[in-house]
Amino acid sequence: MESHETERLTSVQLAAMRRSLSNGRGALTRRSLLRASGMGALALGGISTLGACGIPPAGRTGGSAASDDHSAKEKEVHFSNWTEYMDVSEDEKSRPTLQAFTKRTGIRVKYTEDINDNVEFFGKIKPQLAAGQNTGRDLICVTDWLAARIIRLGWAQKLDHANLPHAFANVSSQFRTPDWDPGRAYSFPWSGIPAIIAYNVKATGGRKVDSVTQLLDDPKLKGRVSFLSEMRDTIGLTLLDQGKDPGKFTDADFDGAIGRLQKAVDKKQIRRFTGNDYTADLSKGDIAACVAWAGDIIQLQADNPDIKFAIPAAGYITSTDNLLVPAQARHKTNAEKLIDYYYEPPVAAQLAAYINYVCPVDGVRDELAGIDASMASNTLILPDKEMASKSHSFRSLSTKEETAYEEKFAKLIGA
């Protein structure tokens, strides 16, 4: 058997995970804010487990990813997802879209909210995947960096696009070709998670803030600016502001972004690097402008009309949560039918109206307007063509890059 180097988590990577848990998106509930797109959204239990034994080797150690499909005889599908990431009825006793799927297809959905963070969940299913065994799940939803790892390890089944006509046709162009799954051969996005610029118009004296350059250089904002403690979001936006592509950057580009931010730290332009705790300061005006997660802003604006957002002309960073069929899943075709169902515009609109994340499905605007007109016009939920064209993803990192970059970023933010 071919041997592979084990991808162990370094002390620097573990520190980055703990940062996310203590004040980043990993510390938040699904409905309140967003989770980490990179090394965040991790539980301490998962950290200690993976720190001790290492991430699995970069190659499959079990059997073939494919398995016998029992979908035709067993009308069921087992779906693992994050908490509060699915629509529920007003009495909170049912899940309307899942019920409608079962009524239409006869396929019963065993829906489980057993994903609390990426690494903890990966630690839960890893032994079975490594042994070439069925995890008991036909469909899972994980953040892009983990989806990339599962695919690379050979632990996801290649999807049959013949069973996914709506998904293949309707997936938004900005989500169609991630570098870790070109053409969406193994995955389809459940939602998008943007990092943008937000500001308190009262605190800025009525001035708009719409670029990283303003955040870093505007003397009127000195000491009232914050950036995120998530590396991919902060570095990604800074790279864009410097004319670099976050999907193709070099080590020198990364170092240039670090240096740009370090200058702002040294001159005390940046007040601090934060997790979700920037929201209270932004609402009060103690922070005048910041890098923010879009989900926060939708909620803050409901209570404070002074909160505004801007999409930098240079672009913004978007990560995704993604649906995959694990190796050895027993009901692959049924899982594909469920994925495809959520790419039908009426269904996608119903889901988007509940979870308020970026909808990755084209053609839902009119459907969503029939549910809530304000949501249909909110570009943080349904990006228009101009906004979608400015979306960028942070490229996949090797283990060596992850270690080096996290170490430099931790030094920058004083972690």
Side-chain angles (χ1 to χ4, degrees):
M1 179 182 294
E2 181 182 0
S3 62
H4 301 275
E5 181 181 357
T6 299
E7 299 180 31
R8 292 188 179 275
L9 295 177
T10 67
S11 60
V12 173
Q13 291 170 318
L14 292 173
M17 294 176 182
R18 292 187 180 101
R19 273 204 314 275
S20 180
L21 278 170
S22 62
N23 68 353
R25 282 175 284 185
L28 311 174
T29 63
R30 164 68 50 185
R31 288 290 290 173
S32 62
L33 299 173
L34 302 173
R35 293 173 299 99
S37 59
M39 296 301 291
L42 311 172
L44 290 173
I47 289 172
S48 61
T49 299
L50 294 176
C53 65
I55 297 293
R60 182 169 38 79
T61 57
S64 170
S67 64
D68 293 336
D69 191 350
H70 299 265
S71 294
K73 293 182 179 179
E74 299 175 4
K75 294 293 186 178
E76 59 187 84
V77 60
H78 296 209
F79 182 8
S80 283
N81 205 350
W82 299 78
T83 58
E84 301 197 52
Y85 220 9
M86 178 68 71
D87 58 300
V88 298
S89 60
E90 290 187 7
D91 61 9
E92 299 185 354
K93 294 182 178 180
S94 64
R95 304 185 184 278
T97 57
L98 288 178
Q99 282 190 333
F101 174 78
T102 298
K103 183 176 182 180
R104 181 200 297 183
T105 64
I107 299 170
R108 182 176 64 87
V109 182
K110 181 181 178 181
Y111 184 76
T112 308
E113 294 180 322
D114 62 344
I115 305 179
N116 295 309
D117 61 70
N118 285 291
V119 165
E120 182 185 51
F121 180 69
F122 188 46
K124 186 185 301 183
I125 64 175
K126 179 192 66 176
Q128 295 156 305
L129 291 171
Q133 299 172 352
N134 179 12
T135 67
R137 300 166 177 85
D138 303 303
L139 193 63
I140 61 176
C141 182
V142 294
T143 306
D144 44 19
W145 68 268
L146 180 55
R149 178 169 289 159
I150 290 173
I151 292 169
R152 186 177 71 249
L153 291 168
W155 293 345
Q157 296 197 47
K158 192 170 185 178
L159 300 175
D160 183 352
H161 283 184
N163 294 329
L164 297 157
H166 295 98
F168 190 74
N170 294 337
V171 62
S172 299
S173 58
Q174 71 180 101
F175 301 116
R176 189 172 287 273
T177 56
D179 67 348
W180 48 270
D181 187 18
R184 291 291 180 181
Y186 293 89
S187 69
F188 275 90
W190 182 252
S191 67
I193 308 170
I196 58 174
I197 290 177
Y199 59 100
N200 184 319
V201 71
K202 186 175 181 180
T204 64
R207 296 163 58 247
K208 183 178 183 179
V209 180
D210 60 3
S211 73
V212 170
T213 293
Q214 276 182 278
L215 293 176
L216 296 177
D217 294 337
D218 188 342
K220 294 183 179 179
L221 298 176
K222 184 175 181 179
R224 298 189 297 151
V225 168
S226 68
F227 279 71
L228 295 172
S229 58
E230 295 292 345
M231 180 188 71
R232 286 164 175 80
D233 295 327
T234 287
I235 296 296
L237 283 167
T238 305
L239 285 167
L240 285 167
D241 193 70
Q242 293 180 307
K244 306 297 183 179
D245 184 349
K248 299 178 181 178
F249 67 89
T250 64
D251 287 348
D253 295 332
F254 184 90
D255 289 344
I258 288 285
R260 180 84 170 89
L261 290 160
Q262 186 65 60
K263 289 180 181 179
V265 170
D266 292 344
K267 68 181 182 181
K268 302 189 185 305
Q269 177 78 7
I270 298 176
R271 184 187 185 102
R272 59 194 181 105
F273 293 85
T274 76
N276 70 294
D277 49 328
Y278 71 86
T279 55
D281 286 344
L282 182 63
S283 290
K284 291 185 295 183
D286 292 340
I287 290 293
C290 61
V291 174
W293 292 308
D296 300 9
I297 306 310
I298 294 174
Q299 296 176 35
L300 290 178
Q301 287 179 325
D303 298 319
N304 188 343
D306 292 329
I307 304 301
K308 309 293 182 183
F309 75 91
I311 304 302
Y316 65 101
I317 297 294
T318 302
S319 57
T320 53
D321 282 336
N322 307 271
L323 300 172
L324 291 86
V325 178
Q328 303 302 318
R330 190 175 176 89
H331 310 105
K332 176 174 178 284
T333 298
N334 291 345
E336 291 168 337
K337 289 180 179 179
L338 186 59
I339 294 172
D340 195 61
Y341 170 72
Y342 278 101
Y343 273 79
E344 296 179 19
V347 181
Q350 191 170 347
L351 179 67
Y354 182 80
I355 67 174
N356 296 172
Y357 283 69
V358 172
C359 179
V361 183
D362 281 340
V364 303
R365 192 172 305 278
D366 289 344
E367 298 287 347
L368 188 55
I371 300 172
D372 188 323
S374 65
M375 289 186 183
S377 61
N378 191 330
T379 54
L380 297 182
I381 297 175
L382 292 183
D384 55 23
K385 288 184 178 179
E386 180 181 3
M387 181 171 172
S389 69
K390 295 179 180 179
S391 172
H392 297 264
S393 297
F394 199 92
R395 71 170 173 82
S396 300
L397 301 178
S398 67
T399 302
K400 182 179 179 181
E401 287 175 324
E402 184 83 53
T403 300
Y405 292 170
E406 284 288 2
E407 183 175 359
K408 292 175 181 178
F409 188 70
K411 182 178 180 181
L412 169 73
I413 68 176

